Amino acid sequence: MTRLKIVTSALAVVWYCSLAFAAPQHSFTTRGHDFLLDGKPFQIVSGEMHYARVPRQYWRDRLKKARAMGLNAITTYVFWNLHEPRPGVYDFSGQLDVAEFIREAQQEGLYVLLRPGPYVCSEWDLGGLPAWLLANPQMVLRSRDPKFLEPARRWLKRLGEELAALQITRGGPILAVQVENEYGSFDSDHEYMAAIRDAIKDAGLGEALLYTADGAEELPNGTLPDLPAVVNFGPGEAKEAFAALAKFRPNQPLMSGEYWAGWFDHWGREHHATDAAQQEKELEWMLAQGYSVSLYMFHGGTTFGFMNGANLDKTYHPDTTSYDYDAALDESGRPTAKYFAFREIIARHRKGEALPAVPKTPAAISFPAVELKESAPLEHLLDLCVVLQSDVPRPMEQYGQSYGYILYRTKIAAATRGELRLKDLRDYAMVLVNGGSVGTLDRRLGQEAINVDLAANATVDILVENTGRVNFGKGLREERAGISGVTLNGDELRGWTVYPLPMTDLKQLRFASGAASGPAFYRGTFEVAQPGDTFLDTRQLGKGVAWVNGHMLGRFWKIGPQQTLYVPGAWLRRGKNEVVVFDLEGVAGKEVQGLGRPILDQVRAEQ
């Protein structure tokens, strides 16, 4: 290193240190019914937005729009599964630089409410818990089981290394940190909640105000006596929910930790368009009472990749890729009519304080239909896999895989006709005999068996897609993806070759002109004169996932209601761009195109 570089580096260190020591120290506490910021009453008007659901290049734009709507804070979850993809391996880079997201919020004049879980729900796979936890069959998630608590503590400790310096007490924007998430809807183990509270404190995140969040009826189950509680509810429930909170905690501030100003969608079900007028009326009422509120969601964005969750009541319902949520900012960050109505309401309660101008949003672009002329059969990817041998099929987590697809292959020696039954299907399977599909099985529809007619020495493939682990309720404890056994006419089949297919690296696929048979990858190119946001029309496709320029957009499924995938303009380039799809129902001649608007509300009858 030259002397000039040494001097320059030293000056930089001095400058950064001086900033750190000069950072103003603040406090955020409670007194009676008030939150106090530096000793003065402070009404939180926040909105939820998740850094992982918004391309990093657009964080600043969305935060500016939050400030322009009148918000004084941003609420965000932290997704454990993204940051610790394998035990002890952490990632806080690029899109996952949550500390930078929080710094940018502060630069835009916003405080932050941090929700680190370790469980976060959020229509996210397994509620944000890493799937590798499920590799241990005895693991009991969200409990005092040491096999769960030890990695949870380790995770929170590592998160504290990233975010502790950003607390309000150290000059950062983090006002408050939530302990767990709606635990009262899951169980009532207060010792578990105390263990998570202590883990957050041990991680150095206890200088901010700690709090819990639950539904009105679940407050007794999920709270801790030493922490303030907030209440979560939907439109039409504000007065009753706040009354319940006031009765439960008569001498603390009243806040809605989640006011559900929208809702999410499931595959095969109708798109949700919520009652904006009702939400406007309730927001006006809450602010007039002096209550604090966090809008869930202010901006939903997109659950890119394989990260969508699912619900489980009597049946299984996976969530769509779009997390538009009928929010104030739509999926692509465009202000809606709801945005401007909320802005007007909030402005009336800012006592004459002028709001910043709403940033302009460039128009979305379109591009003409692109024929997916090149293909690569799934077999090409199998050739690149780490091949495993297994006496009986096991869930993908036991093979070290968390997301995507997994293929189980066996040979049938003697000709056989009868019922092929899958055990614990999670979640969608295509059954192939000698490379040709003989049908599919769908967990949503309760399907577990299919009739087959097998010749001697037939090769049977079972290609399973994890379409999203359950993220709410105790069912998440059993969400091991793949299958755990196969029988043919009641006899267990043994001797399997297993191909994990996480779909994380497609660079070595060998594409060729023409169509491929069965599940396959298809590729096409399109030209863009000026990059901008667009929406990939998937209505000609069947079921699968799509990438643009190597960025995984998410899942498509012809049953809808989502029929387009959001393509951020930041992921496009001038000139030639590449689109790749993996379609279980590969057919020659399919096309995609870029639309100037999304299609999120077209449900098709299932065949």
Side-chain angles (χ1 to χ4, degrees), residues 15-35:
W15 180 70
Y16 279 116
C17 289
S18 68
L19 283 181
F21 285 114
Q25 307 297 300
H26 298 287
S27 65
F28 187 70
T29 58
T30 67
R31 183 180 62 204
H33 291 108
D34 291 325
F35 290 113

mmCIF file of all heavy atoms in Angstrom, residues 15-35:
data_model
loop_
_atom_site.group_PDB
_atom_site.id
_atom_site.type_symbol
_atom_site.label_atom_id
_atom_site.label_comp_id
_atom_site.label_asym_id
_atom_site.label_seq_id
_atom_site.Cartn_x
_atom_site.Cartn_y
_atom_site.Cartn_z
ATOM 1 N N TRP A 15 -12.842 9.786 10.099
ATOM 2 C CA TRP A 15 -14.131 10.401 9.730
ATOM 3 C C TRP A 15 -15.301 9.536 10.179
ATOM 4 O O TRP A 15 -16.241 10.008 10.810
ATOM 5 C CB TRP A 15 -14.172 10.608 8.221
ATOM 6 C CG TRP A 15 -15.460 11.236 7.759
ATOM 7 C CD1 TRP A 15 -15.891 12.511 7.968
ATOM 8 C CD2 TRP A 15 -16.483 10.600 6.988
ATOM 9 N NE1 TRP A 15 -17.111 12.712 7.374
ATOM 10 C CE2 TRP A 15 -17.502 11.553 6.768
ATOM 11 C CE3 TRP A 15 -16.626 9.319 6.451
ATOM 12 C CZ2 TRP A 15 -18.646 11.254 6.058
ATOM 13 C CZ3 TRP A 15 -17.775 9.029 5.740
ATOM 14 C CH2 TRP A 15 -18.772 9.983 5.546
ATOM 15 N N TYR A 16 -15.204 8.205 9.905
ATOM 16 C CA TYR A 16 -16.284 7.315 10.305
ATOM 17 C C TYR A 16 -16.413 7.260 11.818
ATOM 18 O O TYR A 16 -17.510 7.244 12.369
ATOM 19 C CB TYR A 16 -16.055 5.901 9.750
ATOM 20 C CG TYR A 16 -16.475 5.760 8.314
ATOM 21 C CD1 TYR A 16 -15.549 5.469 7.325
ATOM 22 C CD2 TYR A 16 -17.809 5.910 7.950
ATOM 23 C CE1 TYR A 16 -15.934 5.342 5.998
ATOM 24 C CE2 TYR A 16 -18.212 5.783 6.631
ATOM 25 C CZ TYR A 16 -17.271 5.490 5.645
ATOM 26 O OH TYR A 16 -17.660 5.366 4.337
ATOM 27 N N CYS A 17 -15.280 7.217 12.510
ATOM 28 C CA CYS A 17 -15.326 7.179 13.970
ATOM 29 C C CYS A 17 -15.949 8.444 14.529
ATOM 30 O O CYS A 17 -16.728 8.426 15.480
ATOM 31 C CB CYS A 17 -13.932 6.975 14.550
ATOM 32 S SG CYS A 17 -13.275 5.306 14.270
ATOM 33 N N SER A 18 -15.604 9.607 13.923
ATOM 34 C CA SER A 18 -16.166 10.860 14.414
ATOM 35 C C SER A 18 -17.666 10.886 14.229
ATOM 36 O O SER A 18 -18.399 11.401 15.075
ATOM 37 C CB SER A 18 -15.521 12.051 13.688
ATOM 38 O OG SER A 18 -15.906 12.074 12.319
ATOM 39 N N LEU A 19 -18.126 10.306 13.121
ATOM 40 C CA LEU A 19 -19.570 10.222 12.908
ATOM 41 C C LEU A 19 -20.214 9.365 13.989
ATOM 42 O O LEU A 19 -21.279 9.687 14.514
ATOM 43 C CB LEU A 19 -19.878 9.620 11.530
ATOM 44 C CG LEU A 19 -19.709 10.543 10.324
ATOM 45 C CD1 LEU A 19 -20.086 9.780 9.059
ATOM 46 C CD2 LEU A 19 -20.582 11.785 10.457
ATOM 47 N N ALA A 20 -19.564 8.239 14.299
ATOM 48 C CA ALA A 20 -20.130 7.328 15.289
ATOM 49 C C ALA A 20 -20.228 8.014 16.652
ATOM 50 O O ALA A 20 -21.251 7.931 17.328
ATOM 51 C CB ALA A 20 -19.276 6.065 15.380
ATOM 52 N N PHE A 21 -19.125 8.716 17.060
ATOM 53 C CA PHE A 21 -19.145 9.352 18.368
ATOM 54 C C PHE A 21 -20.076 10.561 18.387
ATOM 55 O O PHE A 21 -20.637 10.899 19.420
ATOM 56 C CB PHE A 21 -17.733 9.771 18.768
ATOM 57 C CG PHE A 21 -16.878 8.613 19.195
ATOM 58 C CD1 PHE A 21 -15.767 8.230 18.452
ATOM 59 C CD2 PHE A 21 -17.203 7.884 20.329
ATOM 60 C CE1 PHE A 21 -14.991 7.157 18.840
ATOM 61 C CE2 PHE A 21 -16.428 6.805 20.725
ATOM 62 C CZ PHE A 21 -15.325 6.432 19.982
ATOM 63 N N ALA A 22 -20.274 11.179 17.206
ATOM 64 C CA ALA A 22 -21.124 12.365 17.161
ATOM 65 C C ALA A 22 -22.594 12.022 17.022
ATOM 66 O O ALA A 22 -23.453 12.883 17.141
ATOM 67 C CB ALA A 22 -20.703 13.250 15.984
ATOM 68 N N ALA A 23 -22.899 10.724 16.752
ATOM 69 C CA ALA A 23 -24.288 10.335 16.530
ATOM 70 C C ALA A 23 -25.119 10.683 17.760
ATOM 71 O O ALA A 23 -24.758 10.352 18.885
ATOM 72 C CB ALA A 23 -24.366 8.828 16.252
ATOM 73 N N PRO A 24 -26.223 11.372 17.565
ATOM 74 C CA PRO A 24 -27.055 11.767 18.705
ATOM 75 C C PRO A 24 -27.660 10.547 19.387
ATOM 76 O O PRO A 24 -28.041 9.584 18.743
ATOM 77 C CB PRO A 24 -28.139 12.642 18.062
ATOM 78 C CG PRO A 24 -28.205 12.190 16.638
ATOM 79 C CD PRO A 24 -26.805 11.792 16.285
ATOM 80 N N GLN A 25 -27.722 10.570 20.714
ATOM 81 C CA GLN A 25 -28.333 9.499 21.483
ATOM 82 C C GLN A 25 -29.785 9.869 21.765
ATOM 83 O O GLN A 25 -30.070 10.980 22.213
ATOM 84 C CB GLN A 25 -27.557 9.295 22.788
ATOM 85 C CG GLN A 25 -26.065 9.098 22.581
ATOM 86 C CD GLN A 25 -25.742 7.851 21.777
ATOM 87 O OE1 GLN A 25 -26.081 6.755 22.183
ATOM 88 N NE2 GLN A 25 -25.093 8.025 20.646
ATOM 89 N N HIS A 26 -30.685 8.924 21.535
ATOM 90 C CA HIS A 26 -32.112 9.181 21.730
ATOM 91 C C HIS A 26 -32.714 8.090 22.585
ATOM 92 O O HIS A 26 -32.094 7.056 22.853
ATOM 93 C CB HIS A 26 -32.818 9.260 20.387
ATOM 94 C CG HIS A 26 -32.343 10.378 19.516
ATOM 95 N ND1 HIS A 26 -32.639 11.698 19.761
ATOM 96 C CD2 HIS A 26 -31.570 10.376 18.390
ATOM 97 C CE1 HIS A 26 -32.086 12.462 18.836
ATOM 98 N NE2 HIS A 26 -31.416 11.696 17.994
ATOM 99 N N SER A 27 -33.956 8.303 22.977
ATOM 100 C CA SER A 27 -34.667 7.305 23.763
ATOM 101 C C SER A 27 -36.076 7.135 23.217
ATOM 102 O O SER A 27 -36.667 8.067 22.667
ATOM 103 C CB SER A 27 -34.730 7.722 25.241
ATOM 104 O OG SER A 27 -35.496 8.907 25.393
ATOM 105 N N PHE A 28 -36.591 5.917 23.351
ATOM 106 C CA PHE A 28 -37.976 5.639 22.984
ATOM 107 C C PHE A 28 -38.542 4.738 24.074
ATOM 108 O O PHE A 28 -38.097 3.601 24.238
ATOM 109 C CB PHE A 28 -38.056 4.962 21.615
ATOM 110 C CG PHE A 28 -39.467 4.803 21.115
ATOM 111 C CD1 PHE A 28 -40.199 5.912 20.728
ATOM 112 C CD2 PHE A 28 -40.063 3.541 21.041
ATOM 113 C CE1 PHE A 28 -41.505 5.777 20.265
ATOM 114 C CE2 PHE A 28 -41.360 3.394 20.577
ATOM 115 C CZ PHE A 28 -42.084 4.519 20.195
ATOM 116 N N THR A 29 -39.490 5.254 24.813
ATOM 117 C CA THR A 29 -40.042 4.551 25.962
ATOM 118 C C THR A 29 -41.559 4.726 25.985
ATOM 119 O O THR A 29 -42.147 5.285 25.048
ATOM 120 C CB THR A 29 -39.437 5.088 27.272
ATOM 121 O OG1 THR A 29 -39.719 6.500 27.354
ATOM 122 C CG2 THR A 29 -37.926 4.886 27.313
ATOM 123 N N THR A 30 -42.165 4.266 27.039
ATOM 124 C CA THR A 30 -43.603 4.466 27.227
ATOM 125 C C THR A 30 -43.849 5.102 28.595
ATOM 126 O O THR A 30 -43.067 4.924 29.538
ATOM 127 C CB THR A 30 -44.386 3.142 27.148
ATOM 128 O OG1 THR A 30 -44.040 2.320 28.271
ATOM 129 C CG2 THR A 30 -44.084 2.409 25.863
ATOM 130 N N ARG A 31 -44.945 5.844 28.676
ATOM 131 C CA ARG A 31 -45.415 6.385 29.952
ATOM 132 C C ARG A 31 -46.932 6.476 29.876
ATOM 133 O O ARG A 31 -47.473 7.226 29.054
ATOM 134 C CB ARG A 31 -44.823 7.757 30.231
ATOM 135 C CG ARG A 31 -45.247 8.332 31.614
ATOM 136 C CD ARG A 31 -44.635 9.690 31.839
ATOM 137 N NE ARG A 31 -45.107 10.645 30.828
ATOM 138 C CZ ARG A 31 -44.445 11.751 30.475
ATOM 139 N NH1 ARG A 31 -43.277 12.009 31.026
ATOM 140 N NH2 ARG A 31 -44.939 12.559 29.554
ATOM 141 N N GLY A 32 -47.603 5.654 30.679
ATOM 142 C CA GLY A 32 -49.057 5.631 30.596
ATOM 143 C C GLY A 32 -49.504 5.264 29.205
ATOM 144 O O GLY A 32 -49.068 4.255 28.631
ATOM 145 N N HIS A 33 -50.343 6.084 28.611
ATOM 146 C CA HIS A 33 -50.894 5.800 27.288
ATOM 147 C C HIS A 33 -50.039 6.350 26.153
ATOM 148 O O HIS A 33 -50.452 6.291 24.990
ATOM 149 C CB HIS A 33 -52.319 6.367 27.177
ATOM 150 C CG HIS A 33 -53.307 5.652 28.038
ATOM 151 N ND1 HIS A 33 -53.848 6.214 29.164
ATOM 152 C CD2 HIS A 33 -53.816 4.398 27.949
ATOM 153 C CE1 HIS A 33 -54.675 5.351 29.723
ATOM 154 N NE2 HIS A 33 -54.665 4.244 29.022
ATOM 155 N N ASP A 34 -48.878 6.877 26.468
ATOM 156 C CA ASP A 34 -48.053 7.518 25.439
ATOM 157 C C ASP A 34 -46.777 6.736 25.151
ATOM 158 O O ASP A 34 -46.127 6.206 26.062
ATOM 159 C CB ASP A 34 -47.642 8.928 25.888
ATOM 160 C CG ASP A 34 -48.801 9.893 25.937
ATOM 161 O OD1 ASP A 34 -49.704 9.775 25.085
ATOM 162 O OD2 ASP A 34 -48.812 10.746 26.846
ATOM 163 N N PHE A 35 -46.407 6.711 23.861
ATOM 164 C CA PHE A 35 -45.026 6.444 23.487
ATOM 165 C C PHE A 35 -44.271 7.754 23.634
ATOM 166 O O PHE A 35 -44.800 8.831 23.282
ATOM 167 C CB PHE A 35 -44.927 5.970 22.033
ATOM 168 C CG PHE A 35 -45.476 4.592 21.793
ATOM 169 C CD1 PHE A 35 -46.613 4.409 21.017
ATOM 170 C CD2 PHE A 35 -44.848 3.478 22.323
ATOM 171 C CE1 PHE A 35 -47.124 3.147 20.780
ATOM 172 C CE2 PHE A 35 -45.344 2.203 22.089
ATOM 173 C CZ PHE A 35 -46.486 2.031 21.330
#
